[in-house]
Amino acid sequence: MDKWYRYFFCLFLLVVPGACSEWLQVEPESELTREEFWQTGNDVQAVVAGTYKELAGCVERLFKWGELRGDLLVPGQNISSDDRRIMDGFIYPENDLNKWNQLYRTINFANTVLKFSRLVVDRDQTFSENESKAFEAEALFLRSLCYFYLVRIFRDVPLILEASENDAQDYYPAVTSEQDIFLQIIDDLNIAVVDLPTSYEKTEYNKGRATKSAAFALMADVYLYFEKYQACINACNEITGSGLYGLIDGEDWFMNFFPGNSNESIFEIQFDKDLNQTNLLYQMMAPSMGGSYPDGNDEFRVSPYFVIEFEKVLSDRRSGNRTYLAFSGGGWYVFETTYILWKYVGTEGTSGMASGGGATGYRMGNKESDAHWIIYRYPDILLMKAEALVEMGEFEQAIELVNLVRTRALLEPVSGITNKFTLEDIILEERAKEFCGEGKRWFDLVRIGRRNNNERINRFIEILSANKTYEEAEIIRSKYSNPNSWYLPIHQDEIDQNNKLVQNPYYINQ
Amino acid sequence: MKIKICTVFLILLLSAHFGVCQTPLVIKGKVVDITGETLIGVVVCEVNELDRTLNGTLTDLNGNFALRLSSPENKIRISYIGYKTKEFLASGQTNFEVKLEEETVQLDEVVITAESKKVGGFMPVAERDLTSSVSTIDMKALKEVQVSSVGEMLMGRASNVDISMNSGDPGAGMSIKIRGTASISGSNQPLIVVDGVPFEIELDKDFDFSAVTQEQFSGMLNIAPEDILTIQVLKDASATAVWGSRGANGVLLIETKRGTMGKTTFEYLYKLSIQQQPKSIPLLDGDSYSMLMMEGILNSGSTEIPQELSYNKDWEEYNNYSQNTDWLRAITQTGISHEHNFSMTGGGESALYRFSLGYLDQDGTTKGTSYSRFTSRFNLDYNVSRKLLFSGDLSYSYSDNDLSFKENSDSRSIRALAYVKAPNMSIYDYDKEGNLSNNYFSPGDNFQGYGSLWYNPVAMANEATWNMKQHRLRTKLQLKYNILDNLIFQSFVAFDVDNQLENKFLPQVVTGVQWTSSYANLSSGMDYQSSVLEGQSQLLYTYQKGNKHKLTSMLAFTLSYKKNGWYYGSTSNLPSIFLRDYAQDAPVYWIGDGYSQNRMAAVLGFIHYSLLDRYMLQFNIRREGSSRFGYDSRWGTFPSVSVGYRISSEPFMKNLKLINDLKLRYSYGVNGNQPNSSYGYFNLYSTGEEYIDMPVVIPTNLQLDNFRWERNSQINYGVDLVSLNNYLEVHFDVYTQKSKDLIWEKLKLPSTSGFPEITRNWGSMDNKGWELMFVTDILKKKNFNLDFNFNIAHNENRITEIPENFDFEFGSEASNGQYARRAQEGHPIGTFYGFRYLGVYPTDVDAVAHDEQGNIIYNVEGKPLYMRYGNSDGYRFRGGDAVYADINHDGLINELDIVRLGNSNPKFIGGFGSKLTWNNLVVTLFFHYRLGQDIVNMTKMNNENMYYRNNQSISVLNRWRRQGDITDIPRALYNQGYNWLGSDRFVENGSFVRFKSASISYNLKKIAERIKLKDLKFNFMVYNLYTWTMYTGVDPEVPMISTDPFFIGEDKADTPPPVSYIFSLNAKF
């Protein structure tokens, strides 16, 4: 109130407007302006956390991108029409699954950290340059991860490395080729692996934030995708040589998913229902019982053909009641047996459980779904390395690594394979069984299809058209014979809003 | 009537003599009237040459007084209410007998003739000399119109002012549009100025409307119509320029009545109005409804008939689902309202006052709705001296509005619910034995659905509460100081405090949900506070030399400071339906608050020059600063210039007797527009949820460095003509308005930026139009008068430039219930697109594709190609489905078949009326019209789609039922098909002429005199009497709230405008 006399002074004196320009500066009270923010190391950490948080919001999308076009899942009863079209192979630019906005939001937050963290070093005495570098490395890791998803899903996408701050910037970028994005990712990760810590002070941070190993895992994945096999093997060796991770016992395999953060986990996005950090994985996968428990939405199920494949070897510790749970009946409608993707729905994986709605061991319910989203765990490193070794012609070493994963699952080891393609297929199948529903299948298939200038495109098509009706298989064959169709179209809204974007040629005139 | 006090004093001064005696002295005397009777309580005072009262006394019981004069040069003034004031110098005399003459002249009439109207608020130019476009609404004509809100009063009265009520419920807001849509962002509502102070009728845009329904807050102009003296509409940029950016969409200037000199006059007005709901669209009864539903389910390929529809007498709920309930009738009532207004007006030479109280109590036509309003106003003008005038205005209003309950913006209102609720359901619950109970039948979940879309409307009307209370206090303190005779300083400070309280309660008996559900006994409350400080200082200089030169100039400084705060909280699971307060120890459902402030300052220069009463030139320039812009773009400069030429004053026109006055006007001006959000230009960071246990902060918007004022320039040509011996008055204006640098508040941004949208200046838009208004006195006899007034306006809106990367389509995929809307260069806002509806396929085999020649198209296998929706894998059309024109003959109905269907902008709007005066009898008629606009009849769409489980109108009885049926209403198809795509089936010409009001009033002068009343008047009026229209929906008068570039006129009216019968009595004493 002490300022009131000034206003009256203004009023009665007919002052020149210049004097009132300051008076017209009104700052918000419930939010911070950029000038007020970026003062301490805590501010930097908060935006880094925001970047992770944003990525955590992408989990449903990462799941769908990695699985819907693969062959391990089938539509459930309440699948959305957009998702069904993707699964049926009818893909149009208007489909909401083609939206990339969340990933670019994550990228923008990472860019914001990269721009401002350095400035805070000068402002906050307690915030050292090394601390800043570690945060920047986390941002680089997250940005690289996002771009890696983007190039695998859309191939050529805009490469944004500047934080969006004001309206003077150009927000209408053209696309960058996947090769250039690959080079950018590798440059960034090479910095990140130096600056990232090996571990943090608590388990949730060790698994839920970027570490050196997480960056190496991502690097290995990127190199494998872009067919740089020796580099991939080197990156894998950094992890296997660190001694920080190892395969857990086959009996405890389900502990990877519940409670999560197991010894073999390298990077997984953390959720915690006690902190209201939940996702929709439970809801998408759990059966729908007409409102009563388990109150899922039954959007996606495990493919019965995959289950048959799985159950060919009954001793596999990852099969029934672990990767999937047989479910029949329940509620007021009756249908044939279906298979719930149990990794995100159940709390335990014992073979003694009854199947269906009466089964014990469901998680808390769809509003409390807090299954972690695993991006890299140790068997992935072993199998990536094995795949790279196969391409290098080192079959023996590769078989050794594959057998590590097989014997852990109580499967017979394989031996004496000398055909490269056979070995590739064995690794592919092993990956399917180990990582079913973890958002990896489609990328594994595309990697096979792309390799050596689409050398195995027929195998790629064969896998995808198996177990389909004749007509469906025909459509798939004609569609996937054009490799452009392996990438999703840019969403129509993005095309409409940015004249510089060019649609993937496969979808023009669709 | 407004008094020009200074003039009065000048006259008084001139009549006074000046003496030269120097010694102080005591004077005595007696005051009597003409008949010699002593007057008691007469004011005797000493005044100096500036008319400042220095000393005074009152006459005693014998009429005697004694007064000590401080200087013999000062005058003695003797004044008494109802008598002529006397002033004289003592001139050495010490004893006086003063005779006072009674005042015989009606003072207010004197004022009218003595003063020329001043226009434009603080722009002191007489209407005669105006060079800009201003309409004044004839308040004399409105005297006979007895409505309860200013909006209703103004509808159709001024040309090119389009007012529509947001709904027919009591207390509903209104939307006003002057000269079309000028801005794409924000509101196009004009600025309302009451007694020189802007009056906010909208909530601040920073307010978070996620939890409340916006339309209920808009347009609450809580002023009793009886308190209004004049209303002026400022239209062109030259006229609105002084009001700055807030007036860019036009200005409505409202001036309230003030005190007049003379004996105190009391006025009392009583109004009784009865409102009747007109017949609504006839709906199906329970039996035909169940039949329709079953047909729809079977047609969709399902055989699962819900038992609610199967009339199974063994089922325990049979009685609850076998009724024929007329839900609409069950929630409708006759609305009755009472209104009382009392005012007191009067004043002496130093103080003038008007005091008024009003009370309105109104029941709506929907059960449970009501509106009560208390208004009070006190206007005081006090002459401290001839040089110094002080005025103080105070007004307070309180309103208490029970609204038709609506859970949130997406849910249905009570009346909308009554339209769709299954008529086979019972209002009250039957028990298993078939006995009717007192409990509402509100199943939480039934075959129609669950949640807010399916509550029991009767229970909702009677038991749910949605109450809004508003307190509004406005004060204005003003000083006027005449530095010199032609140099005046004037300054005011005004405060406006607005407090709105909302309370909502949804008891479990309405929802029928489980007691543990978070919707059970949901209670919420909201508290919104806004306070505005408006200040203004101005220096006025006038210069006049004979009749040749007349100069008026002004320099002003204004500022405005607004603060808003709101708090919202809701709790659920309250233990009893009698505990309705949300601040309980109960689970919190949602909670939130907000706070914002913004400031504005402006300097204004103004010059008006008139030469020979013929050539007029006006120039003003306003430099305005707003806190909503960044430091560099904060100030905008907006000039305007206008010229006028009065041809009728030219010597060569003197001989033309036909023309009394003829003036040509031209104006050009630029005005600005500012964004809605207070802090939009900052790069803001706000907190989010945690990741693991790390707190999260993220940037939430982009800093705006290039953001600047939106500029609207307007050219206006006008003619004012008075001719035929003052029988005919014509005003004609043509204007072109160009809006540049349009502010797009939510312009979509490519998401690669990491932000969904940005605020940016981009694009331009035009409005062109004309308006014509004439008033004529058909008959002008001594005791018999008949006049006629007419206004018509035409406005054409056109988007001239849209952003390069702007996605001009809204909802690109046409789907059921959706119309494609496109913002396209060269097209107006409000154009909509859709399919051509061609009827219904009689049989399955008719649903085949045809080429341009009309031949059936066959596929490679030689089979006819069936019509499909969307793609080749889309829905296949069958017999009974809607036929849409396959424009490109590809056998598919998709976006490529969308054509332009209509334009929501009316071609002409206006009104006309007539007034007949015959002795003491006054009859008025008034009509209001809009012509040439297309309306999307959403009500029809919702009542004929047969897609959901909603009740439908009886027109669906003509639906297609079996193969071969020829009809134009498609088959019932539950949750499938595309029978109600946005097509011309639901587009109608919305032209209408509405018989808005007819009133008859009679002045009982003789009786009034007998019982010592000054005036006694009776009035009877019918409001919303009849509408002539081809439109088949509820109400063609669709609110034109065009706040986004994709606006289209959709009639979603639940409550048609009720017919009101109003009886009133007015007494003056």
Side-chain angles (χ1 to χ4, degrees), chain A residues 11 165 167 202 205 494 499, chain B residues 537 693 703 705 751 753 805:
Chain A
L11 259 178
E165 282 179 85
D167 58 355
K202 46 170 133 172
Y205 287 6
E494 298 296 327
N499 295 342
Chain B
S537 293
D693 55 0
Q703 178 168 310
D705 291 335
S751 63
S753 65
N805 284 299

Side-chain angles (χ1 to χ4, degrees), chain A residues 343-494:
Chain A
K343 285 179 176 175
Y344 308 116
V345 176
T347 56
E348 53 194 306
T350 58
S351 54
M353 287 187 329
S355 62
T360 55
Y362 283 100
R363 291 179 189 236
M364 284 300 286
N366 70 41
K367 289 197 179 115
E368 300 190 0
S369 165
D370 62 356
H372 296 178
W373 175 254
I374 301 171
I375 291 181
Y376 291 112
R377 55 191 175 94
Y378 197 63
D380 205 356
I381 308 300
L382 298 178
L383 292 173
M384 282 197 286
K385 187 177 167 189
E387 201 172 320
L389 286 167
V390 171
E391 303 311 316
M392 302 281 290
E394 307 278 350
F395 291 2
E396 280 307 312
Q397 281 188 53
I399 289 170
E400 207 174 292
L401 289 170
V402 173
N403 283 340
L404 277 178
V405 179
R406 283 180 69 89
T407 48
R408 190 271 294 265
L410 304 188
L411 290 178
E412 288 298 312
V414 291
S415 60
I417 297 156
T418 51
N419 184 315
K420 183 181 162 195
F421 290 166
T422 316
L423 198 48
E424 268 183 8
D425 288 349
I426 287 173
I427 293 172
L428 189 65
E429 192 186 329
E430 207 49 49
R431 289 187 65 90
K433 288 179 177 169
E434 184 67 36
F435 305 119
C436 171
E438 292 178 47
K440 303 228 169 238
R441 178 65 173 175
W442 173 255
F443 304 128
D444 293 346
L445 292 174
V446 170
R447 210 164 50 230
I448 297 284
R450 277 168 59 99
R451 194 162 284 155
N452 290 336
N453 295 321
N454 308 327
E455 190 186 4
R456 300 196 69 194
I457 184 168
N458 291 331
R459 175 67 185 147
F460 172 80
I461 293 170
E462 189 189 342
I463 294 172
L464 289 167
S465 57
N467 304 317
K468 301 278 173 166
T469 64
Y470 175 77
E471 278 151 4
E472 283 169 342
E474 272 303 297
I475 293 169
I476 286 170
R477 267 179 220 121
S478 80
K479 177 181 162 72
Y480 287 134
S481 61
N482 180 351
N484 286 334
S485 75
W486 303 353
Y487 306 94
L488 289 180
I490 297 171
H491 194 280
Q492 192 61 41
D493 287 354
E494 298 296 327

Side-chain angles (χ1 to χ4, degrees), chain B residues 322-342:
Chain B
S322 57
Q323 304 298 316
N324 282 311
T325 304
D326 187 343
W327 289 102
L328 273 176
R329 183 188 286 182
I331 57 145
T332 303
Q333 63 183 12
T334 301
I336 295 183
S337 91
H338 304 273
E339 190 175 350
H340 306 269
N341 269 289
F342 173 75

Side-chain angles (χ1 to χ4, degrees), chain B residues 441-508:
Chain B
F441 179 55
S442 318
D445 186 359
N446 72 9
F447 73 105
Q448 273 197 303
Y450 63 93
S452 66
L453 299 176
W454 301 108
Y455 296 151
N456 179 335
V458 180
M460 208 155 117
N462 292 337
E463 304 299 330
T465 11
W466 182 10
N467 181 271
M468 294 274 317
K469 290 186 178 68
Q470 184 185 23
H471 297 268
R472 188 142 193 185
L473 181 69
R474 287 166 59 86
T475 63
K476 180 189 171 193
L477 300 177
Q478 178 169 306
L479 275 176
K480 189 173 168 190
Y481 185 69
N482 298 351
I483 303 168
L484 299 166
D485 276 352
N486 53 3
L487 184 66
I488 300 168
F489 174 78
Q490 196 171 313
S491 175
F492 75 74
V493 184
F495 295 94
D496 183 345
V497 181
D498 184 3
N499 177 212
Q500 299 190 37
L501 292 161
E502 184 202 58
N503 261 297
K504 258 175 151 174
F505 181 68
L506 185 61
Q508 193 269 345

Side-chain angles (χ1 to χ4, degrees), chain B residues 736-859:
Chain B
T736 322
Q737 188 179 34
K738 281 188 194 301
S739 308
K740 260 197 340 193
D741 290 347
L742 288 174
I743 294 176
W744 295 72
E745 293 233 43
K746 282 185 177 159
L747 188 69
K748 287 253 188 320
L749 203 57
S751 63
T752 45
S753 65
F755 291 95
E757 56 207 16
I758 191 171
T759 302
R760 193 166 263 204
N761 301 92
W762 221 344
S764 58
M765 191 163 63
D766 277 4
N767 275 289
K768 280 180 191 162
W770 51 264
E771 52 210 34
L772 169 72
M773 181 171 174
F774 66 83
V775 183
T776 161
D777 293 311
I778 297 168
L779 278 169
K780 224 179 190 175
K781 294 269 163 60
K782 193 170 171 250
N783 289 326
F784 189 76
N785 257 330
L786 179 65
D787 71 11
F788 178 71
N789 64 74
F790 176 84
N791 70 71
I792 183 166
H794 170 76
N795 182 67
E796 228 169 90
N797 167 279
R798 206 159 58 94
I799 300 170
T800 45
E801 189 196 335
I802 55 168
E804 193 188 340
N805 284 299
F806 177 67
D807 183 5
F808 62 87
E809 285 186 0
F810 176 85
S812 61
E813 240 181 331
S815 58
N816 279 330
Q818 283 286 327
Y819 281 86
R821 311 164 190 189
R822 298 169 188 170
Q824 269 174 303
E825 279 174 26
H827 289 263
I829 284 178
T831 326
F832 52 92
Y833 303 79
F835 297 96
R836 287 245 171 269
Y837 179 75
L838 301 175
V840 174
Y841 290 115
T843 63
D844 286 352
V845 292
D846 289 318
V848 289
H850 295 269
D851 64 15
E852 275 160 66
Q853 282 75 41
N855 304 316
I856 295 172
I857 304 175
Y858 294 94
N859 64 9

Side-chain angles (χ1 to χ4, degrees), chain B residues 509-524:
Chain B
V509 292
V510 178
T511 58
V513 295
Q514 302 275 321
W515 283 94
T516 51
S517 156
S518 53
Y519 277 94
N521 286 343
L522 183 64
S523 171
S524 69

